[in-house]
Amino acid sequence: MKSICFHCNEPIPSSVDLSLNWQNQSRDFCCIGCKSVAEAIIENKLDDYYKFRTEVSVKPDDLIPQQLRDIELLDDAKVQQSFTQTENSSVSTELGVEGITCAACSWLIESRLQREPGIEKILVNPVTRRISLKWNQNKTPLSHIIKILKSLGYKAYPFRQNKFEQQIKQENRSYLIRLGIAGLGMMQVMMFAVGLYLSDGQDIDPAQQQFLHWISALIATPVVFYSGFSFFRNAYYGLKAKHLNMDVPVAIALVMAYTASMWATVTHSGQVYFDSVSMFVFFLLTGRYLEHRVRLKACLNSQAQRQTLPLSVTKKRDDNSHQQTIPLHQVNPKDVLVVASGETLPTDGKLASSYAKVNESLLTGESVAVDKYHGDQLLAGSINEGQLLELEVTEVGDNTYFSALNNMSERALANKPHLSKLADKLAHWFVMGILLLVTVVYFAWNSIDPSQSFWIALSVLVVSCPCALSLATPTAVTSASQALAKLGLLLIKPDSLEALAKIDTVAFDKTGTLTEGKPVLTHTDILINAKQAEELFADAWPQTLEAQTRWVLDRVTELERNQHHPIALAFKHRQVQQKMLSNIEAIQGQGIKANYKGLLFKLGKLDFVLSNRNHISQNEALDGTQVWLSYDDYLIAHFVINDAIKTDAKELIANLESEKYATLMLSGDHAHQVQTVAQQLKLQKWFAACLPQEKSDLITKLQQKGHHVLMVGDGLNDSVVLAAADVGIAINTATDLTQSKADGVLTSHKIQVIFNALMLARKTQKIIKQNLFWALSYNLIAIPFAALGFVPPWLAAIGMTLSSLVVLLNAQRLKAEN
């Protein structure tokens, strides 16, 4: 007789007669949709889905015309701009999916879509119910992918933050409901148990005693099978995957205790431990909920940043006469946006106004506002703390620095470090050993005191649950990674934190790493005498030295205003009081020239600005790049431009050497410049004029001698040496960030974070060892006591929960670092 649908488990109407043959049996369906889905699954040889699913499938809905139009609209390029990232012919996006109930669903979706042409990458996360998808739009349109998912019974849509938050709220609500039921049930069962214990079977009528047993059973049943459902589900799936996870002994303990208590209640013989079962579920669920909150917080912190950018922006029209409000996804490069005081910058861009003050704390971790001038780079996620500013857009969407950081953070959270995998394997063998031990204890006590054998074996099973062991590593790594992210260091690869703890040698690039990477004018000399100046410039030449210096710098600023070489950066923020030059022309590799009253101003190398320089020589005692200014073959001024050392670089080197780290600098600059910086920072070793491959070779030689090397440098220019080092940390510009292949990215302007990271990595290893030591010590001490009969099941449950909490709280100490 037909009863329920094979696919969705819903009742089959008597008027429906739909079936197909699978594994030599007739399978009945409630509607044509369920049958079509089942046929698609079986025909594509994906029928293992029905073997391994842990919950029933979602009933597919027929696509109505409006839904069909909405799905096909997702193929429109303009629509896709708001939720996709395009690279050549490949498109990447995240889809939210409804209907995923277990890992078997993930397997089914991945297996089915991988068979479609153009699918380059697909990763399904059953916990967050999200699909990370990369595909060739020319081979397979997005609408086709969504229709395939629909045919399998899953509703897919472009991921939206509000949908994710709704799922998070539902998950938390479910946890709290299960925890609340377990708590109320435990208290009620304990009330009855106290009366039974105090009476000791003497002051209570057997009928009343039996009544309390049945009431306790009635209350304990939803506690075990509803509140404790996740333990059974996880244990079942673990056994299906032939893996003994930490929920296996928990599920066995619950089944044994509940079944034995029910048997004692029905047969009026033996002991009843419904109170212990309820307490066990409550305490274990409390520990599991706290663990869930710790892990969830990291995910929510990452997701919350996605909401920082505004949904709409104010754009200037081309004629500059009006402004209009448009959605953020409609913004394009070269648009000019208006950002009011206190608002968040929506895109990367250049400052179109003359001056601005922005707070980049969300990106760098530093709360002090930064001064920005016309043409300076502005980053999405920064806050305008000055007056209204204008922003010329350069990057939008996932190409911004802000999005790149978010994407790296999510990849880092998704990765599983080597230590966590090792702990998981250890927990698997530990569970196997415990199950063997419980069997031995049971038979040993059965020969000593059969009435106690079951409950002592149960106590051993409960007290030895390896929850703390499995939590020891991941909680410490997660806490440390969050602490580093707040400091301004984002670790991308899963084993970077472990590798950092082994570092004994730290190598640095020079420019932009130990130095600011921004040329600064450090020396100015006026060379022309008063008589020559009056002949050349007449009344235009100022009388005082201060005014002469300002006049000369104005001419240099005019010359450098629209140039793109590094020296121009030293003058870009100056404001010229009066413009005098015309026909400005850059001579590549030499300098710049311009007209003034029919004669030439020249700025650049000495050979370029003078036709005869026999009586002039450069001052080699001055550190930095020397630049000369001439007019009509007369030397007017001499400038020295330097790259300033970062304010905390000297402190960083001193701290590293105080902790016995070897330090060295690898630079492509000239020996004199590198030596000067090395002496100022008191670096132990330095190497100049190094090509990228030469830097890599030096690192390799150190590693061959047994050293573990950390390399800190530019993410793009130093990609070879960063990859060669045991850990490579990139100090990136916004352009470089998305191309970086480093193990970590320093988002803070403070390079001292490198030292803090090394110290935190060391402490993380200590915390992990402490957690592992505690977890193992607890089990080694508690198991013998339980095996000897000194630990009842309810106390075993409390002990196991407290051991997990100790591990969690110990790991939280890392968040307080720095």
Side-chain angles (χ1 to χ4, degrees):
M1 177 181 179
K2 302 174 186 176
S3 55
I4 59 174
C5 176
F6 173 66
H7 181 74
C8 69
N9 276 19
E10 289 190 9
I12 300 176
S14 57
S15 59
V16 175
D17 185 17
L18 295 169
S19 63
L20 62 81
N21 189 276
W22 181 63
Q23 292 189 341
N24 299 321
Q25 291 186 28
S26 178
R27 311 292 178 167
D28 299 317
F29 302 93
C30 65
C31 64
I32 189 65
C34 286
K35 182 182 178 183
S36 299
V37 171
E39 286 176 338
I41 292 173
I42 294 170
E43 287 174 3
N44 283 279
K45 297 182 180 180
L46 302 173
D47 49 327
D48 279 350
Y49 166 72
Y50 289 116
K51 297 179 184 179
F52 297 112
R53 62 176 178 176
T54 56
E55 295 187 25
V56 297
S57 309
V58 176
K59 180 181 176 67
D61 298 321
D62 294 330
L63 286 173
I64 61 175
Q66 179 61 46
Q67 291 174 331
L68 189 60
R69 287 196 296 271
D70 290 344
I71 290 175
E72 291 175 347
L73 187 63
L74 295 176
D75 294 331
D76 187 277
K78 290 184 178 180
V79 174
Q80 286 189 7
Q81 285 180 358
S82 64
F83 63 89
T84 64
Q85 181 179 0
T86 303
E87 182 180 351
N88 298 326
S89 59
S90 298
V91 184
S92 301
T93 191
E94 282 190 347
L95 300 177
V97 186
E98 293 180 6
I100 292 181
T101 56
C102 61
C105 296
S106 304
W107 172 83
L108 174 63
I109 292 172
E110 291 177 359
S111 300
R112 177 64 183 88
L113 291 184
Q114 282 171 355
R115 300 183 180 186
E116 290 298 312
I119 300 295
E120 299 174 10
K121 176 185 175 183
I122 179 169
L123 180 64
V124 181
N125 189 326
V127 177
T128 59
R129 294 171 178 82
R130 286 159 67 178
I131 296 177
S132 296
L133 182 66
K134 185 176 183 181
W135 80 104
N136 189 316
Q137 181 76 10
N138 298 327
K139 294 182 179 179
T140 303
L142 180 59
S143 60
H144 181 65
I145 295 173
I146 292 179
K147 288 175 185 177
I148 291 175
L149 293 172
K150 189 74 175 176
S151 70
L152 294 176
Y154 305 102
K155 180 181 179 182
Y157 46 82
F159 173 75
R160 291 290 183 268
Q161 177 67 26
N162 58 345
K163 290 276 188 180
F164 176 80
E165 289 180 347
Q166 186 177 2
Q167 291 176 352
I168 291 294
K169 289 178 181 178
Q170 290 175 349
E171 188 176 358
N172 274 318
R173 184 171 177 269
S174 176
Y175 255 116
L176 290 173
I177 290 174
R178 293 179 191 275
L179 190 59
I181 289 174
L184 288 173
M186 178 193 69
M187 288 188 290
Q188 291 298 320
V189 175
M190 283 298 299
M191 287 175 59
F192 302 132
V194 168
L196 291 169
Y197 292 146
L198 291 177
S199 68
D200 196 23
Q202 298 177 5
D203 302 326
I204 187 171
D205 185 87
Q208 294 174 332
Q209 185 182 48
Q210 190 66 12
F211 174 76
L212 291 178
H213 284 170
W214 278 109
I215 293 295
S216 297
L218 182 65
I219 296 173
T221 298
V223 173
V224 172
F225 293 104
Y226 177 74
S227 296
F229 173 75
S230 61
F231 306 126
F232 296 116
R233 180 187 60 201
N234 295 339
Y236 172 78
Y237 183 73
L239 291 173
K240 278 286 186 182
K242 298 180 181 179
H243 179 77
L244 294 174
N245 60 35
M246 63 184 179
D247 284 320
V248 171
V250 173
I252 294 174
L254 285 175
V255 170
M256 287 174 59
Y258 179 80
T259 304
S261 297
M262 284 299 296
W263 178 258
T265 301
V266 172
T267 61
H268 304 271
S269 63
Q271 292 181 311
V272 174
Y273 276 91
F274 289 119
D275 53 334
S276 296
V277 175
S278 301
M279 289 178 68
F280 180 37
V281 172
F282 175 75
F283 287 124
L284 185 57
L285 199 60
T286 299
R288 193 65 57 87
Y289 177 67
L290 293 175
E291 173 198 341
H292 160 76
R293 291 296 302 175
V294 170
R295 290 178 175 175
L296 182 63
K297 189 173 181 181
C299 184
L300 288 177
N301 286 341
S302 173
Q303 292 296 330
Q305 290 186 348
R306 289 182 174 269
Q307 301 183 86
T308 302
L309 301 184
L311 298 176
S312 61
V313 297
T314 304
K315 174 186 172 183
K316 287 188 68 173
R317 295 183 185 273
D318 294 337
D319 57 6
N320 290 330
S321 59
H322 296 88
Q323 298 175 358
Q324 61 179 142
T325 300
I326 62 172
L328 177 59
H329 69 266
Q330 293 183 7
V331 174
N332 297 308
K334 296 188 177 180
D335 285 349
V336 178
L337 307 180
V338 178
V339 183
S341 178
E343 291 185 353
T344 301
L345 275 60
T347 68
D348 289 356
K350 295 179 180 179
L351 181 62
S353 311
S354 59
Y355 172 78
K357 202 174 189 69
V358 298
N359 188 315
E360 299 177 340
S361 58
L362 182 65
L363 307 171
T364 65
E366 298 174 25
S367 58
V368 179
V370 181
D371 293 328
K372 299 286 185 177
Y373 299 90
H374 180 82
D376 280 354
Q377 186 180 49
L378 298 175
L379 301 176
S382 305
I383 298 174
N384 179 17
E385 290 194 353
Q387 301 300 314
L388 181 142
L389 65 83
E390 293 185 358
L391 166 71
E392 181 183 344
V393 178
T394 57
E395 300 289 350
V396 298
D398 285 344
N399 293 325
T400 63
Y401 181 86
F402 177 80
S403 293
L405 282 181
N406 276 332
N407 292 337
M408 286 182 174
S409 296
E410 290 184 1
R411 289 207 312 271
L413 284 173
N415 285 326
K416 200 167 190 178
H418 173 72
L419 283 173
S420 290
K421 295 175 183 177
L422 185 62
D424 287 345
K425 290 182 180 179
L426 184 59
H428 168 78
W429 293 107
F430 187 86
V431 170
M432 185 176 292
I434 286 301
L435 294 178
L436 291 174
L437 176 63
V438 168
T439 305
V440 172
V441 168
Y442 174 79
F443 284 109
W445 272 96
N446 198 47
S447 62
I448 299 170
D449 184 357
S451 65
Q452 295 294 321
S453 59
F454 175 80
W455 300 108
I456 291 176
L458 179 62
S459 294
V460 174
L461 192 61
V462 172
V463 83
S464 60
C465 179
C467 296
L469 186 63
S470 294
L471 292 173
T473 299
T475 52
V477 171
T478 300
S479 296
S481 297
Q482 290 177 8
L484 284 176
K486 287 182 180 179
L487 288 172
L489 176 62
L490 178 61
L491 294 179
I492 304 168
K493 297 183 180 177
D495 295 325
S496 298
L497 194 63
E498 182 181 357
L500 271 178
K502 300 176 182 178
I503 294 298
D504 57 32
T505 303
V506 185
F508 298 93
D509 178 40
K510 180 179 79 71
T511 306
T513 301
L514 293 174
T515 66
E516 294 289 353
K518 299 176 182 178
V520 177
L521 180 65
T522 57
H523 190 81
T524 302
D525 274 335
I526 303 299
L527 302 178
I528 192 170
N529 59 46
K531 183 178 179 180
Q532 290 174 328
E534 288 178 4
E535 291 176 359
L536 291 173
F537 305 114
D539 294 339
W541 185 252
Q543 298 301 311
T544 65
L545 180 61
E546 181 181 353
Q548 291 168 5
T549 302
R550 187 166 55 249
W551 190 88
V552 167
L553 289 176
D554 280 351
R555 305 292 75 77
V556 175
T557 303
E558 279 191 84
L559 289 165
E560 296 283 14
R561 173 62 69 191
N562 295 314
Q563 305 305 318
H564 301 290
H565 54 79
I567 292 175
L569 297 174
F571 302 94
K572 67 177 294 186
H573 298 320
R574 282 189 48 81
Q575 299 297 318
V576 179
Q577 296 180 352
Q578 182 182 3
K579 295 182 179 180
M580 297 181 177
L581 306 184
S582 61
N583 299 326
I584 299 173
E585 180 184 357
I587 310 299
Q588 188 172 5
Q590 296 295 319
I592 311 169
K593 63 181 182 180
N595 285 331
Y596 175 69
K597 293 185 177 181
L599 300 175
L600 288 178
F601 262 111
K602 290 184 178 180
L603 178 73
K605 296 179 179 180
L606 191 55
D607 289 333
F608 172 70
V609 302
L610 285 184
S611 58
N612 181 5
R613 51 156 291 188
N614 292 333
H615 61 291
I616 298 293
S617 62
Q618 298 198 52
N619 187 349
E620 298 296 340
L622 292 172
D623 297 319
T625 303
Q626 300 191 45
V627 181
W628 307 79
L629 178 69
S630 73
Y631 180 66
D632 191 27
D633 222 27
Y634 285 93
L635 277 179
I636 305 298
H638 170 233
F639 311 95
V640 178
I641 297 172
N642 271 306
D643 185 4
I645 294 175
K646 289 186 175 179
T647 54
D648 57 343
K650 185 175 289 187
E651 179 187 4
L652 167 64
I653 301 301
N655 287 339
L656 288 172
E657 295 188 356
S658 69
E659 292 293 331
K660 309 304 180 184
Y661 287 100
T663 57
L664 64 148
M665 178 166 54
L666 310 176
S667 176
D669 291 342
H670 296 300
H672 179 69
Q673 295 173 314
V674 177
Q675 183 181 23
T676 300
V677 173
Q679 289 174 345
Q680 291 177 348
L681 295 176
K682 298 181 180 179
L683 272 164
Q684 297 172 359
K685 294 180 181 179
W686 55 270
F687 299 87
C690 295
L691 296 174
Q693 188 57 49
E694 291 174 334
K695 292 182 181 181
S696 177
D697 292 341
L698 286 167
I699 295 295
T700 302
K701 288 179 182 178
L702 288 170
Q703 292 170 327
Q704 289 172 348
K705 294 179 181 179
H707 294 287
H708 298 274
V709 185
L710 164 66
M711 178 67 198
V712 186
D714 179 80
L716 190 58
N717 299 332
D718 288 324
S719 58
V720 175
V721 68
L722 288 173
D726 294 277
V727 180
I729 294 179
I731 298 179
N732 277 59
T733 63
T735 303
D736 296 333
L737 183 61
T738 57
Q739 305 173 46
S740 173
K741 304 300 180 185
D743 301 296
V745 176
L746 185 68
T747 61
S748 173
H749 298 309
K750 296 177 180 177
I751 197 171
Q752 171 67 14
V753 171
I754 298 297
F755 176 74
N756 296 336
L758 289 167
M759 295 298 100
L760 189 62
R762 284 182 177 181
K763 183 161 187 178
T764 301
Q765 294 305 304
K766 291 181 181 178
I767 293 289
I768 290 173
K769 290 177 182 177
Q770 289 172 2
N771 283 349
L772 291 173
F773 177 78
W774 162 256
L776 291 172
S777 297
Y778 160 76
N779 281 288
L780 290 175
I781 294 172
I783 290 173
F785 276 94
L788 293 173
F790 297 121
V791 182
W794 63 268
L795 185 58
I798 295 176
M800 185 197 63
T801 301
L802 288 178
S803 69
S804 297
L805 291 179
V806 168
V807 167
L808 288 170
L809 294 174
N810 193 37
Q812 293 299 300
R813 292 195 296 132
L814 292 167
K815 288 187 178 181
E817 287 296 300
N818 303 302

